[in-house]
Amino acid sequence: LSIRRQRQMCIRDSYYADIYDQYVTAVSQARGLTEDEFRGLIAHGLFQGQRAKEAGLVDDCLYEDEVLELLRRDGRTVLPVRFDDYTRVEPASVGLARGPNKVALIYAVGTIMSGESLPPIMGGSTVARWIRTARRDASVKAVVIRVDSPGGSSVASDVIWREVALAAKEKPVVVSMSDVAGSGGYWIAMSATKIVAAPQTLTGSIGVLAGKFSIDGLLAKLGVTSDKIVFGERADVFSLFRPFTDEERKALKDEILWTYDQFLTRAAEGRGLTRDEVDAVGKGRIWTGRQAKDLGLVDELGGLTMAIGLAKEEAGIDADEDVRLDVWPRKRSFWQSLFGRPGLGLGLKSGAGRERALETARLLGRLRIWAVMPFWLKAQ
């Protein structure tokens, strides 16, 4: 346990150290300071507004009316825009809905589970269907998948991976990694034509885990007993009322290692690496986007705009040519989401729909083998 704890601390320290280095470099360049000067300001800690100005961290200290007056000095018209007005802006007005060619933009967001999507759950069947639809649409010249997921079900991740691999054989598929694309989130990305990550994206975590909670000791303290009827030697292997036997633990470990081997093999094929090279940066270890690029796990550093531009380039579309974005999931009203037909909304108007929603929640406790980040990192 001590060795494992030390390894986890090394992984954490490496991740945070790289983010900190990126932060120092970016702010120093933006504020015209040396890195040593900025590190000294960080060590100082807190600054009131005027002191921050004197240190070069901000340009000026102004009230709201002074900011508006500053903008008017340049001859600008200052008009507030309400959120409702902003959401009604047509894509064509900003050059996103014109031109003969389409680029499918698919959002793959949330913990990955089998079945249909039910936010915040990413349904493997749902996302696979969106990718398949884009692949079969001749007017879609390229596909961009925006991934923001810590992973989840290894089976559901593999279902999405399959559709990404099939689509990449017919047209360019570019994955754009958002905040997190780890474990299963990386699994669904690794067969894409190109992978774009932000410098501070949390990615990698190539690994597999499984386990269960055993509450038999707690129940014994409470004086609670239970009976069971079991047909099959290991029918109750995932029961909460007893721990794994040594034989069961070994059998489960064999299953985990087999799944991990599939992860390594497909990552190696998708990234043009050897299995051993992937294993060296795998074993559940997380990386920033910048580190992942150096390791060959991603191709470019940038955001969604770069990914769309790269997709156009891969599809042979001129960089200055406008394209129409075919966005999935489709924009839906609250009532459409609440009473939509199965596969698109919750379908709560039917008993089957309500049962489907409950079943999605139950899946959280039923899946056995996961490709999911085993922990979260939170900056305080």
Side-chain angles (χ1 to χ4, degrees):
L1 289 176
S2 176
I3 295 176
R4 180 183 301 175
R5 177 63 175 168
Q6 289 176 7
R7 181 173 179 271
Q8 289 176 343
M9 291 178 64
C10 289
I11 293 173
R12 180 198 62 190
D13 292 349
S14 172
Y15 175 77
Y16 277 129
D18 191 62
I19 289 182
Y20 181 68
D21 287 343
Q22 293 183 50
Y23 171 64
V24 169
T25 300
V27 177
S28 299
Q29 292 175 352
R31 301 309 305 171
L33 302 168
T34 68
E35 292 191 5
D36 286 341
E37 288 174 335
F38 183 58
R39 290 178 191 274
L41 295 176
I42 293 176
H44 183 276
L46 304 176
F47 292 86
Q48 293 287 347
Q50 189 61 35
R51 297 292 299 276
K53 177 182 176 181
E54 294 169 359
L57 294 175
V58 301
D59 295 302
D60 211 339
C61 297
L62 302 173
Y63 293 100
E64 181 179 358
D65 62 291
E66 293 176 311
V67 173
L68 295 177
E69 181 60 31
L70 178 65
L71 294 176
R72 294 190 185 100
R73 289 176 193 168
D74 296 333
R76 303 175 186 175
T77 301
V78 181
L79 295 174
V81 179
R82 297 184 308 165
F83 178 75
D84 288 344
D85 296 331
Y86 183 81
T87 58
R88 283 196 289 268
V89 173
E90 293 295 327
S93 68
V94 290
L96 295 179
R98 295 173 295 186
N101 296 315
K102 288 197 301 184
V103 172
L105 175 57
I106 297 172
Y107 284 89
V109 179
T111 301
I112 306 170
M113 304 291 287
S114 296
E116 301 296 334
S117 291
L118 183 64
I121 301 300
M122 182 204 310
S125 299
T126 301
V127 176
R129 183 171 61 251
W130 293 344
I131 298 171
R132 185 164 55 250
T133 300
R135 169 168 61 90
R136 294 173 175 174
D137 186 344
S139 67
V140 172
K141 305 305 180 183
V143 180
V144 175
I145 304 175
R146 180 69 165 173
V147 178
D148 191 358
S149 172
S153 163
S154 61
V155 174
S157 299
D158 200 47
V159 168
I160 299 174
W161 168 87
R162 173 64 176 174
E163 287 300 330
V164 173
L166 291 175
K169 292 179 180 178
E170 300 184 21
K171 58 189 67 176
V173 178
V174 177
V175 165
S176 170
M177 293 180 170
S178 184
D179 293 345
V180 181
S183 202
Y186 187 79
W187 192 314
I188 67 178
M190 58 193 181
S191 62
T193 309
K194 295 287 184 180
I195 299 177
V196 179
Q200 295 185 3
T201 295
L202 195 163
T203 189
S205 192
I206 298 173
V208 183
L209 61 88
K212 70 172 182 177
F213 291 102
S214 178
I215 61 174
D216 59 314
L218 173 63
L219 295 179
K221 289 181 179 180
L222 297 175
V224 177
T225 60
S226 64
D227 292 322
K228 61 182 179 180
I229 300 176
V230 178
F231 293 92
E233 184 178 352
R234 294 177 179 171
D236 65 338
V237 64
F238 284 101
S239 170
L240 300 178
F241 299 104
R242 68 172 182 84
F244 291 125
T245 65
D246 291 341
E247 293 77 10
E248 290 169 344
R249 188 174 289 105
K250 181 180 182 304
L252 182 58
K253 184 175 181 179
D254 290 342
E255 294 296 319
I256 294 172
L257 291 175
W258 182 89
T259 306
Y260 180 61
D261 185 71
Q262 298 298 303
F263 204 161
L264 294 179
T265 300
R266 289 172 181 174
E269 292 173 352
R271 301 305 306 161
L273 302 169
T274 67
R275 182 187 176 285
D276 289 341
E277 287 174 331
V278 177
D279 187 38
V281 298
K283 299 182 177 69
R285 177 158 184 173
I286 58 172
W287 308 96
T288 65
R290 186 172 71 169
Q291 291 172 325
K293 183 178 185 298
D294 292 338
L295 296 170
L297 296 178
V298 305
D299 297 293
E300 302 289 345
L301 297 180
L304 182 57
T305 300
M306 171 184 277
I308 294 174
L310 187 58
K312 290 169 61 177
E313 178 184 332
E314 291 289 328
I317 301 173
D318 190 87
D320 297 326
E321 181 180 335
D322 291 330
V323 295
R324 291 173 291 159
L325 289 181
D326 187 19
V327 181
W328 297 81
R330 304 299 194 196
K331 185 177 180 180
R332 300 175 61 77
S333 70
F334 170 78
W335 296 111
Q336 286 175 319
S337 298
L338 193 61
F339 297 108
R341 62 185 178 86
L344 293 178
L346 301 183
L348 295 180
K349 63 183 180 181
S350 68
R354 291 189 290 272
E355 177 60 28
R356 189 163 44 251
L358 290 174
E359 179 61 21
T360 301
R362 293 191 192 106
L363 284 174
L364 290 171
R366 286 172 44 189
L367 289 178
R368 302 309 182 202
I369 298 180
W370 295 73
V372 66
M373 292 174 54
F375 53 84
W376 287 98
L377 296 176
K378 181 181 293 186
Q380 299 289 348

